Amino acid sequence: GASPDGSFRPLVPGVTRQAGLSGSRPTPEGSSLTTPALSPVADDAAIPSFSDLGLPREILSALAAEGLTTPFPVQAAAIPDALAGRDLLGRGRTGSGKTLAFGLPLLVRTAAAVGGRATPRRPYALILAPTRELALQVCDALRPYAKAMRLWLTPVVGGSAYDRQFHALDRGVHVLVATPGRLTDLVE
Protein backbone atom coordinates (compact mmCIF):
# COMPACT_ATOMS: atom_id res chain seq x y z
CA GLY A 1 0.00 0.00 0.00
CA ALA A 2 0.99 3.63 -0.27
CA SER A 3 2.56 5.33 2.72
CA PRO A 4 1.83 9.00 3.57
CA ASP A 5 4.83 10.16 1.56
CA GLY A 6 3.50 8.41 -1.58
CA SER A 7 6.05 5.61 -1.62
CA PHE A 8 4.96 1.98 -1.58
CA ARG A 9 5.60 -0.61 1.06
CA PRO A 10 5.46 -4.28 0.16
CA LEU A 11 2.08 -5.99 0.44
CA VAL A 12 3.83 -9.35 0.70
CA PRO A 13 7.22 -9.74 2.42
CA GLY A 14 9.95 -9.73 -0.21
CA VAL A 15 7.74 -8.27 -2.93
CA THR A 16 8.39 -4.79 -4.22
CA ARG A 17 6.73 -2.43 -6.66
CA GLN A 18 8.04 -2.70 -10.19
CA ALA A 19 9.13 0.57 -11.68
CA GLY A 20 6.96 1.57 -14.57
CA LEU A 21 3.44 2.57 -15.35
CA SER A 22 0.28 0.54 -15.62
CA GLY A 23 -1.28 2.87 -18.13
CA SER A 24 -3.22 6.04 -18.32
CA ARG A 25 -6.85 7.01 -18.34
CA PRO A 26 -8.52 10.22 -19.47
CA THR A 27 -9.41 12.88 -16.95
CA PRO A 28 -12.33 15.29 -17.31
CA GLU A 29 -10.01 17.95 -18.71
CA GLY A 30 -8.85 15.60 -21.47
CA SER A 31 -5.36 15.10 -20.04
CA SER A 32 -4.34 11.69 -18.86
CA LEU A 33 -3.64 10.43 -15.38
CA THR A 34 -0.89 7.87 -15.07
CA THR A 35 -1.03 5.34 -12.25
CA PRO A 36 1.83 3.27 -10.84
CA ALA A 37 1.62 -0.49 -11.32
CA LEU A 38 1.90 -2.93 -8.48
CA SER A 39 3.61 -5.98 -9.87
CA PRO A 40 4.63 -9.28 -8.32
CA VAL A 41 8.36 -8.72 -8.59
CA ALA A 42 10.37 -10.25 -5.77
CA ASP A 43 13.70 -9.09 -4.41
CA ASP A 44 15.25 -12.46 -3.55
CA ALA A 45 12.23 -14.74 -3.38
CA ALA A 46 10.90 -16.78 -6.26
CA ILE A 47 7.96 -15.23 -8.07
CA PRO A 48 4.91 -17.40 -7.32
CA SER A 49 2.63 -18.62 -10.06
CA PHE A 50 -1.10 -19.21 -9.75
CA SER A 51 -0.40 -22.96 -9.65
CA ASP A 52 1.73 -22.41 -6.52
CA LEU A 53 -1.34 -21.04 -4.73
CA GLY A 54 -3.36 -24.26 -4.67
CA LEU A 55 -5.94 -23.39 -7.33
CA PRO A 56 -7.54 -26.26 -9.28
CA ARG A 57 -6.68 -26.94 -12.92
CA GLU A 58 -10.04 -25.57 -14.15
CA ILE A 59 -9.22 -22.16 -12.68
CA LEU A 60 -5.61 -22.35 -13.89
CA SER A 61 -6.79 -23.06 -17.44
CA ALA A 62 -9.25 -20.15 -17.30
CA LEU A 63 -6.54 -17.84 -15.96
CA ALA A 64 -4.22 -18.86 -18.80
CA ALA A 65 -7.01 -18.29 -21.33
CA GLU A 66 -7.39 -14.76 -19.93
CA GLY A 67 -3.60 -14.23 -20.24
CA LEU A 68 -2.96 -14.25 -16.50
CA THR A 69 0.06 -16.25 -15.32
CA THR A 70 1.53 -14.43 -12.33
CA PRO A 71 -0.52 -13.28 -9.34
CA PHE A 72 -0.38 -9.79 -7.97
CA PRO A 73 0.88 -9.45 -4.38
CA VAL A 74 -2.60 -9.27 -2.85
CA GLN A 75 -3.55 -12.45 -4.72
CA ALA A 76 -0.40 -14.30 -3.69
CA ALA A 77 -1.03 -13.35 -0.07
CA ALA A 78 -4.79 -13.92 0.07
CA ILE A 79 -5.63 -16.91 -2.13
CA PRO A 80 -3.98 -19.67 -0.03
CA ASP A 81 -5.59 -18.39 3.18
CA ALA A 82 -9.00 -17.97 1.56
CA LEU A 83 -8.83 -21.47 0.09
CA ALA A 84 -8.12 -22.73 3.62
CA GLY A 85 -11.28 -20.99 4.86
CA ARG A 86 -9.58 -18.23 6.82
CA ASP A 87 -11.13 -14.77 7.11
CA LEU A 88 -9.50 -12.05 5.02
CA LEU A 89 -9.25 -8.32 4.88
CA GLY A 90 -7.59 -6.98 1.77
CA ARG A 91 -7.03 -3.41 0.78
CA GLY A 92 -5.51 -2.03 -2.38
CA ARG A 93 -5.82 0.37 -5.23
CA THR A 94 -8.03 -0.13 -8.25
CA GLY A 95 -6.45 -2.72 -10.51
CA SER A 96 -4.41 -4.38 -7.76
CA GLY A 97 -6.15 -7.76 -8.11
CA LYS A 98 -8.55 -7.74 -5.15
CA THR A 99 -11.55 -9.17 -7.03
CA LEU A 100 -9.70 -12.32 -8.07
CA ALA A 101 -7.97 -12.50 -4.66
CA PHE A 102 -11.30 -13.15 -2.93
CA GLY A 103 -13.36 -14.31 -5.91
CA LEU A 104 -11.31 -17.29 -7.06
CA PRO A 105 -11.27 -18.97 -3.63
CA LEU A 106 -14.98 -18.25 -3.22
CA LEU A 107 -15.68 -20.06 -6.51
CA VAL A 108 -13.41 -23.00 -5.66
CA ARG A 109 -14.96 -23.46 -2.21
CA THR A 110 -18.49 -23.06 -3.59
CA ALA A 111 -17.89 -25.70 -6.28
CA ALA A 112 -16.52 -28.10 -3.66
CA ALA A 113 -19.47 -27.50 -1.32
CA VAL A 114 -22.36 -27.71 -3.78
CA GLY A 115 -21.07 -30.51 -5.96
CA GLY A 116 -23.16 -29.63 -9.00
CA ARG A 117 -26.65 -28.31 -9.58
CA ALA A 118 -27.79 -25.06 -7.99
CA THR A 119 -30.80 -25.17 -5.69
CA PRO A 120 -33.70 -22.90 -6.72
CA ARG A 121 -34.00 -19.80 -4.51
CA ARG A 122 -31.01 -20.85 -2.39
CA PRO A 123 -27.77 -19.21 -3.57
CA TYR A 124 -24.76 -20.73 -1.86
CA ALA A 125 -22.55 -17.61 -1.86
CA LEU A 126 -23.25 -13.89 -1.75
CA ILE A 127 -20.97 -11.08 -2.85
CA LEU A 128 -22.35 -7.75 -1.68
CA ALA A 129 -21.21 -4.67 -3.62
CA PRO A 130 -22.09 -1.07 -2.70
CA THR A 131 -22.98 0.05 -6.23
CA ARG A 132 -24.58 -1.38 -9.36
CA GLU A 133 -21.46 -0.62 -11.38
CA LEU A 134 -19.17 -2.47 -8.98
CA ALA A 135 -21.52 -5.47 -8.78
CA LEU A 136 -21.57 -5.74 -12.58
CA GLN A 137 -17.79 -5.31 -12.72
CA VAL A 138 -17.33 -8.13 -10.18
CA CYS A 139 -19.66 -10.37 -12.23
CA ASP A 140 -17.74 -9.66 -15.42
CA ALA A 141 -14.41 -10.36 -13.71
CA LEU A 142 -15.53 -13.66 -12.16
CA ARG A 143 -17.73 -15.02 -14.97
CA PRO A 144 -14.98 -16.91 -16.90
CA TYR A 145 -13.83 -18.62 -13.71
CA ALA A 146 -17.37 -19.43 -12.56
CA LYS A 147 -17.99 -20.98 -15.97
CA ALA A 148 -14.79 -23.03 -15.67
CA MET A 149 -16.05 -24.37 -12.32
CA ARG A 150 -19.55 -24.96 -13.79
CA LEU A 151 -21.18 -22.47 -11.44
CA TRP A 152 -24.06 -20.09 -12.11
CA LEU A 153 -23.21 -16.51 -11.16
CA THR A 154 -25.78 -13.74 -11.51
CA PRO A 155 -26.07 -10.06 -10.60
CA VAL A 156 -29.01 -8.70 -8.61
CA VAL A 157 -28.87 -4.93 -9.00
CA GLY A 158 -31.15 -1.95 -9.39
CA GLY A 159 -31.85 -0.74 -12.90
CA SER A 160 -32.46 -4.29 -14.15
CA ALA A 161 -35.82 -5.99 -14.57
CA TYR A 162 -37.13 -7.80 -11.49
CA ASP A 163 -38.54 -10.58 -13.70
CA ARG A 164 -35.14 -11.59 -15.04
CA GLN A 165 -33.65 -11.63 -11.55
CA PHE A 166 -36.56 -13.67 -10.13
CA HIS A 167 -36.20 -16.14 -13.02
CA ALA A 168 -32.48 -16.57 -12.33
CA LEU A 169 -33.18 -17.26 -8.65
CA ASP A 170 -35.98 -19.69 -9.53
CA ARG A 171 -33.65 -21.56 -11.91
CA GLY A 172 -30.94 -21.74 -9.25
CA VAL A 173 -27.81 -19.68 -8.74
CA HIS A 174 -24.61 -20.71 -7.00
CA VAL A 175 -23.20 -17.19 -6.50
CA LEU A 176 -25.28 -14.05 -6.20
CA VAL A 177 -23.59 -10.66 -6.70
CA ALA A 178 -25.94 -8.05 -5.29
CA THR A 179 -26.36 -4.48 -4.20
CA PRO A 180 -27.95 -3.99 -0.76
CA GLY A 181 -31.06 -2.20 -2.03
CA ARG A 182 -32.06 -4.74 -4.68
CA LEU A 183 -31.19 -7.67 -2.42
CA THR A 184 -33.49 -6.25 0.26
CA ASP A 185 -36.25 -5.79 -2.34
CA LEU A 186 -35.97 -9.41 -3.47
CA VAL A 187 -35.86 -10.80 0.08
CA GLU A 188 -39.01 -8.89 1.03
Side-chain angles (χ1 to χ4, degrees):
S3 63
D5 67 357
S7 64
F8 287 86
R9 17 177 236 280
L11 298 175
V12 177
V15 178
T16 59
R17 185 173 74 87
Q18 179 182 13
L21 305 174
S22 66
S24 60
R25 61 180 191 258
T27 61
E29 300 81 33
S31 63
S32 60
L33 175 66
T34 304
T35 56
L38 288 179
S39 179
V41 177
D43 290 328
D44 297 285
I47 299 171
S49 69
F50 281 109
S51 61
D52 297 330
L53 304 180
L55 294 166
R57 64 179 167 72
E58 297 89 350
I59 295 287
L60 296 174
S61 294
L63 286 163
E66 295 288 319
L68 302 173
T69 57
T70 306
F72 283 101
V74 69
Q75 295 164 343
I79 288 173
D81 285 340
L83 286 171
R86 294 186 187 97
D87 292 338
L88 296 177
L89 175 60
R91 193 174 92 171
R93 292 179 176 202
T94 299
S96 64
K98 297 178 301 294
T99 300
L100 294 184
F102 78 81
L104 295 179
L106 178 135
L107 295 173
V108 170
R109 290 178 57 87
T110 299
V114 300
R117 185 165 169 77
T119 305
R121 297 180 177 248
R122 300 234 182 253
Y124 185 80
L126 170 67
I127 299 172
L128 199 57
T131 65
R132 176 184 196 280
E133 292 76 17
L134 185 56
L136 295 174
Q137 180 183 345
V138 168
C139 274
D140 289 343
L142 295 181
R143 191 163 282 119
Y145 311 105
K147 183 178 178 182
M149 297 301 292
R150 299 180 184 201
L151 297 173
W152 287 100
L153 176 122
T154 198
V156 171
V157 297
S160 297
Y162 278 103
D163 293 348
R164 197 177 299 167
Q165 294 172 2
F166 277 125
H167 177 69
L169 289 169
D170 285 341
R171 181 188 70 224
V173 174
H174 295 103
V175 180
L176 196 64
V177 182
T179 55
R182 182 52 62 98
L183 181 62
T184 301
D185 292 345
L186 291 177
V187 168
E188 292 174 350

